[in-house]
Amino acid sequence: MKATLAKGTAGLLLLAAAACGADAKSGDGKIEITVSGMPPSTQAASQKDFLKYVAEFEKANPNIKLKPTDAQYDVKTFAARLAAGQLETVFRVPLTDPQALLKRRQIADITGEMNSVQHGSDFDKRILAPATGPDGKIYGLPTEAYAAGLVYNRKLFDEAGLDPDKPPTTWDEVRKDAKIIAEKTGVPGFGMHSTTNTGGWMLTTLTYAFGGRMEKPEGDRQVVAFQEGPTLQALSLLKAMRWEDDSMGAQQLRNQDDLLRDFAGGKVAMMMGAPNLFSSFKTKFGGDAEIYGQAALPLGPGGGTLLGGTVAVVSPKATPEQRAAAVKWIDYYYLRPKYDPAPASERTKKKAADNLPAGVPQLPFYDEAISGPVIQAERADSNVPLKNFDSYVTTVGKQEFVVEPPVAGQELYAALDSVVQAVLTRKDADPATELKAAAEKVTPILDRSQR
């Protein structure tokens, strides 16, 4: 998820970078860095917990002083904050952004610091790829990662005579099961996102599943690729389910929260989504955990599943000492619970004690030898129905992961929202015509973004 950075910022960044490091050390000689990610004061318990980790880190590293902030990464203000020297030393960005940021030299190369990262050479290369440059250097470390899947209502499957332990594994089966559910229960068998850029986002997910891409390289630039077969195939499927099968209901203008609310209320049986939706399903919309089912995304020939998440990166203005301290903090706070069962168990227990979903299955960052004990520790303290995620867990690790479109992704999604809406609300809408119109909107945006 990103927006175009202002043209002409490069000169400002170079001037700002020249002045970096002036206040690298505090008055007592400690290396001082600012770190984002602290929960706001409105989340008092979570903020207290974060500050506990800050204190523990400083005790273990007495030469480092952390200055935590609750600032959030915002593409609209990022370039100006960096130029003005206001950006945190450590901050997190969506998995889509590192490639554009490293190209503009707006995040630091941390390859040299990787030797200090425990298991730094053991990452699943698919997880590390979004923050790896074309030169093979590392510009960030993952903090969360998810792969899109299929969320389904186990109760509605059972009521329709379908086996909730055997969710669909192909899109033909999704279509067939959606039709059966709609006919047997009167509940729409499948729901599709279509507003606030989520329609384009999920159309991208479906395109990837059919083996396509939304953008493709042409020389040293990215150009529109969604007029090709897989996106048409995806739209044709949606159109058939909507108008031929009548398995998607009448309400077609929904974003992710709208659709998840309807899913939690038993008003739709299937939707695309990753396990990280479970927390909102349970805490925000009061869904019954027992009806939540999570399967891997069905993939066609050559298909992959959309990879999302966040990456911790370091300001390019950090001194070598600050950069080393920043990577130590990233390793300690974000990565250690991914490879060390003790903090993994501690954090899972804390969530469970706060009556929050704990131990929701996530993508492992490492191979079985490293991630296995962590997963076991999380499962031991989990308060979610883990069996309902079995289909996802046993399949997703074998799938290809594909990141979101690398250039002007949000603008692309916005243009494709209209395509999804047209296909789902107008029976006579022609997918090819709608995609042509969207391409005409997106092409100049891509051109401007790559000048």
Side-chain angles (χ1 to χ4, degrees):
M1 303 287 185
K2 60 178 135 179
T4 304
L5 295 174
K7 184 183 177 184
T9 305
L12 291 173
L13 296 181
L14 290 175
L15 289 172
C20 74
D23 57 351
K25 292 188 177 181
S26 60
D28 55 7
K30 294 183 178 182
I31 299 166
E32 190 171 279
I33 62 172
T34 51
V35 297
S36 67
M38 180 176 69
S41 57
T42 53
Q43 300 174 21
S46 296
Q47 186 183 88
K48 181 180 178 181
D49 197 49
F50 182 89
L51 293 174
K52 176 179 77 76
Y53 289 113
V54 167
E56 289 176 357
F57 176 83
E58 290 180 334
K59 183 177 180 180
N61 298 274
N63 65 322
I64 300 174
K65 174 65 177 176
L66 301 184
K67 294 178 65 178
T69 80
D70 61 2
Q72 299 292 321
Y73 171 71
D74 184 347
V75 293
K76 295 177 181 178
T77 60
F78 169 77
R81 293 186 68 220
L82 176 57
Q86 298 172 344
L87 193 69
E88 293 77 21
T89 317
V90 178
F91 57 100
R92 290 193 301 162
V93 301
L95 207 62
T96 51
D97 287 25
Q99 291 299 316
L101 295 175
L102 68 88
K103 187 176 181 181
R104 297 184 177 98
R105 300 181 181 179
Q106 292 175 326
I107 51 178
D109 171 7
I110 59 171
T111 309
E113 286 70 37
M114 288 297 289
N115 289 335
S116 70
V117 177
Q118 287 199 51
H119 300 295
S121 61
D122 298 321
F123 278 103
D124 183 328
K125 296 300 186 290
R126 297 173 300 173
I127 302 291
L128 198 57
T132 303
D135 53 6
K137 294 181 179 179
I138 307 301
Y139 292 84
L141 291 166
T143 60
E144 290 94 22
Y146 65 84
L150 184 72
V151 179
Y152 67 100
N153 185 311
R154 292 174 58 86
K155 181 180 179 183
L156 287 172
F157 264 62
D158 187 55
E159 290 176 358
L162 301 170
D163 188 345
D165 292 327
K166 295 181 179 178
T169 58
T170 69
W171 285 102
D172 284 343
E173 290 178 358
V174 171
R175 180 181 177 183
K176 178 180 65 114
D177 288 354
K179 191 171 187 295
I180 291 172
I181 291 169
E183 291 174 347
K184 294 287 184 65
T185 70
V187 175
F190 186 81
M192 178 66 182
H193 312 65
S194 63
T195 66
T196 59
N197 297 12
T198 62
W201 181 39
M202 285 295 107
L203 180 60
T204 295
T205 300
L206 198 49
T207 296
Y208 288 174
F210 282 118
R213 299 291 183 269
M214 309 311 279
E215 297 173 2
K216 64 182 179 182
E218 191 173 274
D220 62 349
R221 302 171 67 79
Q222 292 288 323
V223 299
V224 166
F226 56 71
Q227 285 184 270
E228 299 173 1
T231 309
L232 281 171
Q233 189 178 358
L235 287 169
S236 296
L237 171 68
L238 293 174
K239 184 173 183 177
M241 292 173 71
R242 171 70 173 100
W243 300 107
E244 294 177 27
D245 302 346
D246 193 22
S247 62
M248 295 183 67
Q251 172 57 276
Q252 301 302 331
L253 301 179
R254 293 177 290 202
N255 61 23
Q256 180 168 276
D257 268 8
D258 297 330
L259 196 52
L260 188 57
R261 182 185 297 107
D262 283 350
F263 177 79
K267 298 177 182 178
V268 63
M270 288 185 282
M271 60 182 282
M272 287 183 282
N276 61 341
L277 289 183
F278 180 81
S279 291
S280 291
F281 163 84
K282 185 77 170 65
T283 61
K284 190 174 183 179
F285 300 118
D288 178 0
E290 292 301 325
I291 68 103
Y292 187 100
Q294 178 73 61
L297 193 71
L299 302 182
T305 185
L306 182 141
L307 180 69
T310 54
V311 176
V313 294
V314 178
S315 168
K317 300 172 67 176
T319 66
E321 293 87 355
Q322 288 177 315
R323 197 165 59 240
V327 172
K328 275 190 176 182
W329 167 250
I330 295 169
D331 187 18
Y332 178 85
Y333 183 69
Y334 293 110
L335 297 180
R336 195 166 54 102
K338 307 294 185 182
Y339 60 72
D340 186 340
S345 176
E346 178 187 351
R347 295 191 189 188
T348 306
K349 287 178 178 176
K350 179 69 169 58
K351 281 188 174 182
D354 291 340
N355 202 29
L356 297 172
V360 178
Q362 300 179 40
L363 290 182
F365 284 11
Y366 313 96
D367 64 21
E368 172 64 23
I370 298 170
S371 292
V374 168
I375 293 171
Q376 290 179 7
E378 291 176 335
R379 291 177 73 94
D381 299 311
S382 176
N383 60 1
V384 305
L386 293 170
K387 63 181 177 59
N388 295 3
F389 295 80
D390 281 350
S391 177
Y392 180 88
V393 170
T394 58
T395 303
V396 71
K398 306 167 191 174
Q399 296 184 322
E400 178 186 357
F401 299 157
V402 187
V403 296
E404 295 177 68
V407 179
Q410 284 300 310
E411 291 87 343
L412 181 147
Y413 292 159
L416 290 171
D417 268 4
S418 300
V419 176
V420 175
Q421 291 169 17
V423 168
L424 295 181
T425 61
R426 296 195 342 253
K427 191 172 184 178
D428 62 348
D430 175 54
T433 300
E434 298 296 332
L435 286 175
K436 183 175 183 294
E440 290 172 352
K441 291 181 184 177
V442 172
T443 295
I445 296 173
L446 293 185
D447 288 343
R448 288 195 300 271
S449 300
Q450 298 176 91
R451 287 175 185 168

